[in-house]
Structures are given as structure tokens and as C-alpha cells.
Amino acid sequence: SQTIHQWPATLVQPVGSPLSLECTVEGTSNPNLYWYRQAAGRGLQLLFYSVGIGQISSEVPQNLSASRPQDRQFILSSKKLLLSDSGFYLCAWLGGNDYGYTFGSGTRLTVV
Amino acid sequence: AQSVTQPDIHITVSEGASLELRCNYSYGATPYLFWYVQSPGQGLQLLLKYFSGDTLVQGIKGFEAEFKRSQSSFNLRKPSVHWSDAAEYFCAVDEAAGNKLTFGGGTRVLVKP
């Protein structure tokens, strides 16, 4: 079966520290992968998406970057976190026999 | 600009009453349309989706949605809500079949006993 994993579930990081969030998909190959952010009390904003290894499209200029080192792995990074980077980060993949976007369980990031 | 609008930020309904959540989009063609539900602190669960064909779509948990091309709307309905339906609901649009998903601002549903 196809599953998506995100970790960690929660993270508290000081301002200026680096960040690495990981997302992996199982049971499929060459999926489209996405990173979304949900700030407190707000909707979901697409940050990055990838249609293949090494292919990253950025939707919003920001303090974050993304990488796709392997077919089913998508990483969200920052060299120096800002307070405004706090939020709920969701990874998603597109694919499967029943076309649709499937979301991971999310990472709650608090920058202090 | 292309957008997805959910006009109602909050809706409060009594348990057992009907529920309708509104969603409007502004795209040139008929995009792929989705409704997701998010419980507090959780990820998103797909309720239903519309690609083509019958404009009334049935989903999980007793939800349905109706696509109206003339109104560029995709409203979500449930005939009788349960306390467990209290959550935030997001309408989303995939403009170009696999390009990316754009979300509305969400509607938070509170259910009164």
C-alpha cells in the first residue's frame, strides 16, 4: 500500500538554528511531491513542489529550501530559522490508482 | 488572479442539523476540485473530489458536494452533522491536473450539542 511519512511530529528550534524536515513516500515511484505550510489561523500555502529527483519548484520566496535527493524523499531545510517560520508543515504526494493528493501527518514547528 | 474562496470563516451548527460549506473558484477552465477535512493538530483527509461527469459527488463520512459550472462553485453538504464533524474544512483546486493544489482559506465548523 502507499503511505507517506513525515518526521518529526513536533519541533522547537531557536531563532538562527538550522532546520531539516523529511518526508518519504512508500509504495509508489516517481510521485509528485509537495511541501505546504499552515501558519496559525491561516490556510495552506504551497512552498515547494517536485516532479522528479533534483527538480524543485519554489512558489514563495522565503527563508526555506527544498531538495529531492531520492525518488521518494523530499526534504525541507533552512540554514537559519526565523520566528516567522513557525507553523504546521505538511508534505503531500500526488499519484496512485485513485488520482489524488495524499498528505502526511504534519510537523509542528515552533521557532523561539 | 486565480483563487479559491471559502466565504465563511466559521460556521456553528447544532448536532443533527444540516451543513453546507461554500467554495468558489476563479479559473478559466474546469479544474479538478477537492474537499479536505483537518482535525486539530492533524493532517488533511480527503473527503471527496470532482474531475468530470456527474456533478453531484459522494464522499466519505456522509458528505457530498455539487459542482456548478455556471456559478464556479463546489459546495460541500451533509444532511445531518455529528459532533465528530467539528473540524476545519478546506476546498482545493488543481488547475492543471497534477500541477499543484491551491487551497481556500478554510471554514471552521463548530457543532453544538
Side-chain angles (χ1 to χ4, degrees):
Chain A
S1 62
Q2 299 149 340
T3 56
I4 180 169
H5 302 281
Q6 259 189 268
W7 66 91
T10 60
L11 193 58
V12 180
Q13 293 284 97
V15 169
S17 64
L19 172 74
S20 181
L21 302 181
E22 189 163 344
C23 171
T24 60
V25 181
E26 296 178 358
T28 187
S29 60
N30 197 32
N32 286 6
L33 296 171
Y34 305 82
W35 277 111
Y36 284 85
R37 177 171 60 197
Q38 187 176 26
R42 303 184 64 181
L44 291 108
Q45 180 184 42
L46 178 63
L47 302 176
F48 301 95
Y49 69 96
S50 172
V51 298
I53 295 174
Q55 301 178 63
I56 308 295
S57 297
S58 174
E59 288 294 301
V60 181
Q62 60 214 319
N63 185 44
L64 302 169
S65 62
S67 62
R68 186 169 176 175
Q70 301 180 40
D71 181 44
R72 290 170 289 177
Q73 184 185 32
F74 203 24
I75 297 173
L76 184 69
S77 304
S78 174
K79 292 182 179 178
K80 291 185 177 182
L81 283 169
L82 306 172
L83 287 174
S84 58
D85 292 324
S86 294
F88 192 50
Y89 288 82
L90 288 159
C91 181
W93 75 280
L94 172 66
N97 296 328
D98 189 19
Y99 179 99
Y101 292 80
T102 302
F103 285 80
S105 55
T107 296
R108 173 79 55 195
L109 171 66
T110 304
V111 182
V112 297
Chain B
Q2 298 160 336
S3 64
V4 183
T5 303
Q6 293 181 246
D8 304 304
I9 297 175
H10 294 99
I11 286 182
T12 300
V13 294
S14 298
E15 192 167 14
S18 64
L19 174 68
E20 181 167 11
L21 304 182
R22 296 182 290 166
C23 174
N24 294 94
Y25 63 90
S26 62
Y27 288 89
T30 300
Y32 290 9
L33 300 161
F34 303 80
W35 274 100
Y36 285 88
V37 61
Q38 184 182 34
S39 297
Q42 302 298 311
L44 299 175
Q45 182 181 23
L46 178 66
L47 290 175
L48 48 77
K49 58 191 176 186
Y50 173 78
F51 297 158
S52 64
D54 191 346
T55 56
L56 186 62
V57 181
Q58 301 298 319
I60 63 171
K61 303 186 178 187
F63 285 93
E64 66 179 25
E66 185 172 13
F67 168 63
K68 292 185 177 181
R69 184 189 307 274
S70 61
Q71 299 177 20
S72 295
S73 68
F74 188 54
N75 294 349
L76 181 72
R77 299 193 293 252
K78 185 168 184 177
S80 177
V81 299
H82 186 262
W83 63 266
S84 60
D85 293 322
E88 188 150 24
Y89 293 80
F90 291 95
C91 180
V93 169
D94 179 350
E95 179 189 7
N99 183 14
K100 55 187 177 182
L101 208 56
T102 300
F103 285 86
T107 299
R108 184 169 298 278
V109 174
L110 304 176
V111 180
K112 296 189 301 183

